[in-house]
């Protein structure tokens, strides 16, 4: 199976920035042919889409993060990134990267992002 390992989470003050990374390994022959993205789940809330980038480079963002977050991918490194700027307390959540589409979606274990003063 594909393994996805997120990194870059942590504690940041409101207005700060973090860059999340997700490295894919395992049973991947062509990373570039997979849609990749980031979801998040805050305490007591449903998991929600944060950002997605497809094979052609088209991106999709949740309204709540538009203009603040940017998703990108480095196919040579089998890695997807999420640059998060102007972070706010409501961005606090576990962030999960994902690769592929149903029924073959793979998920990482998540990385905690906490935005607090």
């Amino acid at each position: 199976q594909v393994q996805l390992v997120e990194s870059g989470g942590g504690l940041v003050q409101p207005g700060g920035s973090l860059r999340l990374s997700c490295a894919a390994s395992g049973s991947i022959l062509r990373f570039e042919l997979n849609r990749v993205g980031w979801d998040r789940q805050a305490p007591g809330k449903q998991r929600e889409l944060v950002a997605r980038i497809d094979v052609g480079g088209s991106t999709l963002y949740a309204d709540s993060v538009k203009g603040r977050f940017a998703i990108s991918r480095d196919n040579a490194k089998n890695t997807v990134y999420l640059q998060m700027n102007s972070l706010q307390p409501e961005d606090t959540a576990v962030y999960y990267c994902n690769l592929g589409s149903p029924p073959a979606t793979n998920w990482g274990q998540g990385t905690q992002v906490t935005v607090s003063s």
Side-chain angles (χ1 to χ4, degrees):
Q1 295 184 352
V2 175
Q3 183 178 10
L4 302 173
V5 180
E6 301 98 335
S7 62
L11 175 64
V12 65
Q13 295 184 1
S17 298
L18 286 173
R19 189 191 191 204
L20 306 183
S21 299
C22 176
S25 62
S27 301
I28 304 176
L29 294 179
R30 301 189 68 180
F31 176 85
E32 68 273 19
L33 296 184
N34 289 273
R35 183 180 73 187
V36 293
W38 293 89
D39 285 18
R40 68 186 180 187
Q41 187 167 23
K45 295 185 178 181
Q46 300 291 326
R47 182 177 295 193
E48 64 176 352
L49 169 73
V50 176
R52 181 185 299 163
I53 183 167
D54 68 13
V55 172
S58 296
T59 57
L60 176 67
Y61 296 96
D63 288 342
S64 60
V65 307
K66 286 182 179 178
R68 299 190 297 120
F69 290 11
I71 188 170
S72 61
R73 63 192 298 169
D74 187 336
N75 291 331
K77 296 182 178 180
N78 287 1
T79 300
V80 58
Y81 305 96
L82 185 68
Q83 178 66 47
M84 304 185 295
N85 299 323
S86 301
L87 284 162
Q88 301 299 316
E90 55 265 34
D91 296 315
T92 296
V94 177
Y95 285 70
Y96 300 89
C97 69
N98 54 83
L99 176 146
S101 301
T105 303
N106 296 273
W107 295 89
Q109 293 299 309
T111 185
Q112 177 71 49
V113 172
T114 302
V115 185
S116 176
S117 60

